[in-house]
Amino acid sequence: LVNWEITRVDVPLDGQSVYGEQPSVRSYPYPNPFSPSVHQVLRIKFDLQQSGNVQLRIFDAAMRLVEEQNLGSYNAGTYEAVWDGQDRNGYTVPNGIYLYAIEQDGSSIKGKIVVAQ
């Protein structure tokens, strides 16, 4: 039996790290793969270039809307959104690939989540 331990770390989005320069990103989800029964929540770190209202939308692989959160108004900067692995009806989503979009005033930051129970 192999056990995995997830350690939460704050990795910068700008690609600068103790391991040398990495590609810059606008967002990343963690832990990924995500298991709702093990991790309780998935965090999506994201960087906003301007102020405005922000929404999180999560879709399944068929692009059906699974979850939608109005995160409110934010200034430019780096933030985190949290998803508990449940759909809009309160059911835990099945294993699979999910896509997320952080939307703000016509712009969108997108990424992929793997759910594996």
Side-chain angles (χ1 to χ4, degrees), residues 59-101:
F59 302 89
D60 65 14
M63 293 308 293
R64 291 180 295 240
L65 184 63
V66 172
E67 171 68 319
E68 185 173 34
Q69 298 176 12
N70 182 5
L71 301 177
S73 182
Y74 288 90
N75 293 321
T78 302
Y79 301 94
E80 283 187 350
V82 175
W83 179 48
D84 61 5
Q86 294 185 352
D87 65 17
R88 294 182 294 167
N89 297 315
Y91 296 105
T92 300
V93 299
N95 292 347
I97 304 293
Y98 293 82
L99 305 171
Y100 69 86

Side-chain angles (χ1 to χ4, degrees), residues 13-14 17 34-35 37 44 49 66 68 72 85 106 110:
L13 295 168
D14 67 3
S17 78
F34 168 56
S35 172
S37 62
I44 302 171
Q49 303 295 311
V66 172
E68 185 173 34
K110 298 175 181 172

Side-chain angles (χ1 to χ4, degrees), residues 9-25 28 45:
V9 296
D10 187 22
V11 177
L13 295 168
D14 67 3
Q16 301 298 317
S17 78
V18 295
Y19 303 109
E21 188 153 337
Q22 304 296 317
S24 294
V25 295
Y28 64 84
K45 187 169 185 170

